[in-house]
Amino acid sequence: MKQAGAKADGKGTGKASGEASGKAAGKAAGKAAGKAAGEASGGKAAGEASGKAAGKATAKAAGKGTQGAAGATVARLQTLYREKVVPDLRQQFSYATTMQVPRIVKITLNMGVGEAVADKKNIDAAVADLTRIAGQKPVVTRARKAIANFKIRQGLPIGCMVTLRGSRMYEFLDRLITIAFPRMRDFRGVSTRAFDGRGNYSIGFKEQIIFPEIEYDKIDKIRGLNVSITTTARSDDEAKALLTAFRFPFRN
């Protein structure tokens, strides 16, 4: 993925830059400290030790700095939000400041695994599928109370969920809009009645194979999942305008 590649490039660049800076600084510090220590005590050991210590410290600091600078990536939709969505929504709803413009806070993916009651191995398969889809390790959700009719005991694993924020959230939203939705069978747009009245939107999928990360030949069973988009919008109209600005395919 783009973020993983950027992190790898950042580590490599940071390491190379850190080694080069560390060697240069180590030589300079070693010569200076060696000369001073030599004049004071007539020995070179102090200068060499100081030079090595300064070289390691400088290399470590330079490596971390370069890695942080090169490893930072900005998602495409994140840039779109800052440059286009914020000015358009501010003009549409007459917000006083840009801080009033609604934004997406998090995206939560939840997958229920009812068949885990009979076989706990199904949880591992669901966790693996959700990890590929989200690019992040999900947590296993457990039953809060026992239900005798469904043979569920308290604390029994019955699903998994993951919460995405920041760049990963925008990257998932980009893949959801541009790739996953068009791969749905008989897709004619998503409903506009799935808002909860407080600016949050939820949508369910019957099959996880619509996501490109899932290989159809390697899954053990078709599973559905629920995607919840949490925003700071104060009304459903504002939330709908926000998602529409991201080209969310609403019906009609």
Side-chain angles (χ1 to χ4, degrees):
M1 295 176 68
K2 291 183 179 180
Q3 189 174 1
K7 287 184 178 180
D9 294 340
K11 290 183 179 179
T13 308
K15 185 177 180 181
S17 176
E19 290 178 353
S21 303
K23 288 181 180 180
K27 288 182 180 180
K31 287 182 180 180
K35 185 177 180 181
E39 291 177 355
S41 59
K44 296 182 179 180
E48 293 177 356
S50 301
K52 289 181 179 180
K56 290 181 179 179
T58 308
K60 187 175 181 181
K64 287 184 176 180
T66 310
Q67 178 180 347
T73 58
V74 180
R76 184 178 69 90
L77 292 186
Q78 193 170 5
T79 304
L80 176 67
Y81 174 77
R82 294 174 181 175
E83 297 178 356
K84 189 175 186 303
V85 177
V86 171
D88 292 348
L89 292 183
R90 185 176 178 182
Q91 182 179 4
Q92 180 180 354
F93 292 96
S94 301
Y95 294 121
T97 64
T98 57
M99 298 302 294
Q100 289 181 296
V101 178
R103 65 183 186 278
I104 300 177
V105 178
K106 62 181 178 179
I107 296 180
T108 306
L109 284 70
N110 184 24
M111 182 179 289
V113 189
E115 61 270 17
V117 177
D119 187 1
K120 292 183 179 181
K121 292 182 180 180
N122 292 314
I123 283 290
D124 298 333
V127 169
D129 289 346
L130 201 56
T131 302
R132 295 189 189 98
I133 293 173
Q136 183 175 312
K137 183 73 173 180
V139 297
V140 176
T141 55
R142 301 179 180 275
R144 297 182 180 179
K145 61 180 181 179
I147 304 177
N149 294 337
F150 295 101
K151 299 180 180 179
I152 295 178
R153 299 186 305 273
Q154 185 177 3
L156 186 71
I158 55 173
C160 54
M161 65 170 291
V162 61
T163 301
L164 302 177
R165 303 176 189 271
S167 297
R168 286 186 179 178
M169 175 187 69
Y170 283 105
E171 288 179 359
F172 172 79
L173 184 64
D174 195 358
R175 287 184 281 113
L176 177 67
I177 296 172
T178 59
I179 301 177
F181 280 137
R183 295 181 64 175
M184 294 178 63
R185 289 181 294 180
D186 301 327
F187 180 71
R188 298 180 181 177
V190 296
S191 175
T192 58
R193 298 181 296 177
F195 291 96
D196 65 347
R198 293 174 293 180
N200 304 319
Y201 187 82
S202 298
I203 182 172
F205 298 94
K206 296 181 180 179
E207 300 175 341
Q208 82 274 33
I209 57 176
I210 64 172
F211 294 95
E213 296 84 5
I214 301 297
E215 297 184 24
Y216 183 77
D217 297 333
K218 295 184 179 180
I219 61 174
D220 60 334
K221 186 177 181 180
I222 298 293
R223 295 185 179 88
L225 70 152
N226 183 73
V227 176
S228 299
I229 302 175
T230 305
T231 71
T232 59
R234 293 171 293 182
S235 65
D236 292 345
D237 293 336
E238 294 178 1
K240 183 181 178 182
L242 173 63
L243 295 180
T244 303
F246 286 117
R247 307 297 181 186
F248 213 77
F250 287 110
R251 195 176 303 162
N252 299 329

